[in-house]
Amino acid sequence: MGLKEKILTKSLWVFHISAGSCNNCDIEILDLLTPRYDVERFGIQLIGSIRHADVLLITGAMNKKSLKRLKKLYTQAPKPCFVVAVGSCTCSQQMFKPSYSMQAPLDEIIPVDLYIPGCPPKPEAIISGIVKLIKKVNR
Amino acid sequence: MKLLFNYLIFPGFLFSLFWGGLGWWVERKLTARFQYRVGPPWYQNFIDILKLFFKEQVIPKDSFKPLFIASPIISFSSVLLVILFITQALFLKESIFQADLLVVFYLLITPSLFTILGGFSSANPLASCGAAREVKLMLSYEFIFVTSLIVVLIKSKGNLSLEGIISLQKSFPFLGSISGFIAFILGLIWLQAKMGLVPFDVSEAEQEIMAGIYIEYGGPLLGFFKLTRALFYFILPLFLILLFWADNLGWHLIYKYLIIILLISVIKNTNPRLRADDIVKFFWFLLFPLGLLAIILAILGF
Ligand code: SF4
């Protein structure tokens, strides 16, 4: 694709949405910013406001309450933005699927660009996933 | 033609943006090294800013739209004006525009003021909280900076023009005297607070109020704020050098600039964030007496 996407992939600002996760995936995401993995060297930053976001990083199984907020946040994010599902919960709802408060899998609600399965996925897996996303966009 | 060249390329917009982006990168890289990280590549800030201009612009429905749109642009353009005044004194031999210290001081207040207005007009409770904190911050740091400006004025015997201040320091910089040194330290703390770096970053405070003032800004308008910030990284250290440390200019500017960036980076990485009321107390009850002392010493001729 064009220059626009190339620039976008060099400076991904990530907004982290925890849609009812067990907190393990969130900890793995924070690991990415620590000296050992340091994703800032790729220009990736964790930011606090949805208006700055280029990537929506979603963890957790999306229950009734967080689903509403998730849709709202997706409409609030300035486009172009990518949606990344981190963790088996977000990808497939795994063992929470029969639960009374589960609504629908994530990709039936908003378009998902990247799935990173694992419970929780290792930081290396998340980084390799992001590299795949960048390759996909640049192709 | 020459005027346009001076305004847009050297030493105006492009040159200062390039320098400022690099200075910002040096600061980010130093922060990363302090934390045993690798840090971003040198072009990171330019890419970040460029990317923002390609993004979609979202304007909140309840915001006061004219002010919301105008404030980033006004703050950017006023910094650009300041850059013109200061760089012509530092780099160019002839002067194109006439401006003195007071104009520069007022124009440097404008960006902070319009950041505050932009925060209030974006109709977000967290942004208003950040803007209110920034007001308190401004009342403290600008106040302190006035005292260090007074020291400069006493030393330059009332000479307000930037060229005059530089030429007075040819043989002996103001930094060399006791009062000048205190005023320089105050100026350094002013710089830290004005850029919103860590001990004084209550108005952005990512962990408490998300992005504070900038929370509703995104896309090109945030890009203008980032441009302002990059230009601040260029102009504020140079302004301090001009006021206190202007004995050798030319190539010597580079190491002086790097020393100042190193100092603010060390302050940033060794301090926790202060509360807004603590900042006011720190500035008014600790630094203001220090500033008064510097003024008295300057009057006595030290
Ligand atoms: S995928 Fe596993 S670690 Fe992640 S939120 Fe779900 S249960 Fe927790």
Side-chain angles (χ1 to χ4, degrees):
Chain A
M1 272 198 247
L3 179 72
K4 208 165 137 182
E5 279 75 17
K6 227 169 218 151
I7 290 172
L8 189 63
T9 51
K10 286 243 180 260
S11 119
L12 291 172
W13 290 2
V14 178
F15 184 77
H16 173 198
I17 303 171
S18 172
S21 78
C22 77
N23 225 341
N24 257 352
C25 281
D26 306 340
I27 292 170
E28 294 304 319
I29 286 164
L30 287 186
D31 274 355
L32 289 177
L33 303 173
T34 53
R36 193 178 172 89
Y37 300 105
D38 184 31
V39 284
E40 204 196 1
R41 66 205 151 109
F42 307 125
I44 298 174
Q45 273 180 44
L46 210 59
I47 41 94
S49 162
I50 185 73
R51 301 269 190 234
H52 309 177
D54 304 311
V55 176
L56 300 186
L57 202 87
I58 304 170
T59 57
M62 290 151 314
N63 45 34
K64 244 182 212 167
K65 293 216 163 168
S66 55
L67 201 66
K68 252 191 269 167
R69 272 95 187 165
L70 191 65
K71 279 184 197 157
K72 222 184 220 169
L73 281 172
Y74 182 69
T75 50
Q76 280 180 348
K79 310 292 175 301
C81 80
F82 307 115
V83 178
V84 178
V86 174
S88 300
C89 278
T90 330
C91 296
S92 67
Q93 300 187 320
Q94 53 174 7
M95 73 270 201
F96 301 110
K97 198 165 170 60
S99 160
Y100 63 92
S101 85
M102 285 303 128
Q103 300 291 302
L106 179 65
D107 42 10
E108 287 178 15
I109 305 154
I110 54 178
V112 178
D113 294 285
L114 177 68
Y115 302 87
I116 304 175
C119 182
K122 288 176 99 176
E124 288 95 335
I126 301 180
I127 291 178
S128 98
I130 288 171
V131 170
K132 275 182 193 142
L133 176 75
I134 291 173
K135 276 192 187 141
K136 186 181 120 188
V137 171
N138 280 339
R139 189 145 21 93
Chain B
M1 198 58 210
K2 185 156 185 305
L3 195 74
L4 218 60
F5 177 76
N6 282 337
Y7 189 70
L8 288 177
I9 297 169
F10 179 85
F13 175 60
L14 278 183
F15 172 72
S16 47
L17 184 65
F18 188 67
W19 184 323
L22 280 186
W24 191 354
W25 167 75
V26 170
E27 195 271 318
R28 274 174 81 171
K29 187 86 180 170
L30 281 174
T31 305
R33 294 310 298 159
F34 278 124
Q35 299 167 352
Y36 287 98
R37 289 190 289 118
V38 178
W42 67 270
Y43 50 80
Q44 190 58 50
N45 292 314
F46 306 115
I47 296 258
D48 282 353
I49 292 173
L50 204 60
K51 174 204 76 180
L52 285 173
F53 281 96
F54 285 132
K55 294 277 286 185
E56 180 195 5
Q57 180 64 56
V58 184
I59 295 173
K61 204 170 102 204
D62 297 333
S63 65
F64 180 56
K65 289 181 187 67
L67 202 56
F68 184 80
I69 296 170
S71 41
I73 298 170
I74 294 178
S75 55
F76 168 68
S77 42
S78 63
V79 182
L80 211 54
L81 263 180
V82 175
I83 280 182
L84 217 61
F85 298 147
I86 295 181
T87 47
Q88 72 171 6
L90 282 175
F91 297 109
L92 298 180
K93 293 286 166 286
E94 81 273 47
S95 68
I96 315 161
F97 298 96
Q98 282 301 316
D100 57 20
L101 209 54
L102 292 182
V103 179
V104 171
F105 181 64
Y106 278 123
L107 281 176
L108 279 179
I109 292 182
T110 319
S112 317
L113 205 62
F114 274 90
T115 332
I116 291 169
L117 287 179
F120 276 131
S121 65
S122 59
N124 184 312
L126 293 177
S128 321
C129 176
R133 289 176 178 191
E134 178 72 30
V135 172
K136 291 190 197 90
L137 206 60
M138 235 178 105
L139 283 179
S140 22
Y141 66 71
E142 297 295 0
F143 181 53
I144 294 307
F145 189 56
V146 170
T147 60
S148 75
L149 275 187
I150 291 175
V151 172
V152 171
L153 287 186
I154 292 170
K155 291 202 161 287
S156 74
K157 307 197 176 55
N159 191 344
L160 274 171
S161 84
L162 299 176
E163 284 87 359
I165 291 174
I166 292 177
S167 65
L168 273 172
Q169 297 183 63
K170 271 267 150 49
S171 51
F172 189 67
F174 294 159
L175 186 60
S177 58
I178 302 172
S179 59
F181 185 72
I182 297 175
F184 178 74
I185 297 291
L186 294 182
L188 208 61
I189 295 171
W190 164 80
L191 189 128
Q192 191 90 9
K194 183 139 187 115
M195 304 237 261
L197 292 176
V198 158
F200 311 114
D201 70 334
V202 277
S203 65
E204 273 180 64
E206 203 142 284
Q207 292 81 359
E208 300 168 40
I209 51 173
M210 321 304 250
I213 306 179
Y214 306 117
I215 190 164
E216 288 292 345
Y217 281 99
L221 289 182
L222 184 68
F224 274 111
F225 273 134
K226 294 278 171 192
L227 275 179
T228 314
R229 198 175 169 72
L231 294 182
F232 262 175
Y233 266 101
F234 169 71
I235 204 61
L236 295 182
L238 281 192
F239 187 44
L240 272 194
I241 292 172
L242 187 154
L243 287 181
F244 298 106
W245 202 359
D247 51 346
N248 293 317
L249 296 176
W251 293 111
H252 297 274
L253 274 179
I254 295 176
Y255 76 80
K256 288 175 180 173
Y257 178 83
L258 284 178
I259 286 175
I260 290 189
I261 290 286
L262 179 70
L263 282 177
I264 60 175
S265 181
V266 168
I267 299 176
K268 178 185 164 188
N269 285 298
T270 48
N271 283 290
R273 179 185 310 132
L274 293 172
R275 265 197 341 248
D277 57 334
D278 282 340
I279 289 178
V280 176
K281 269 182 213 148
F282 173 68
F283 273 98
W284 285 11
F285 300 120
L286 202 77
L287 294 186
F288 180 59
L290 207 62
L292 279 185
L293 183 74
I295 293 176
I296 293 169
L297 284 176
I299 292 173
L300 294 179
F302 286 106

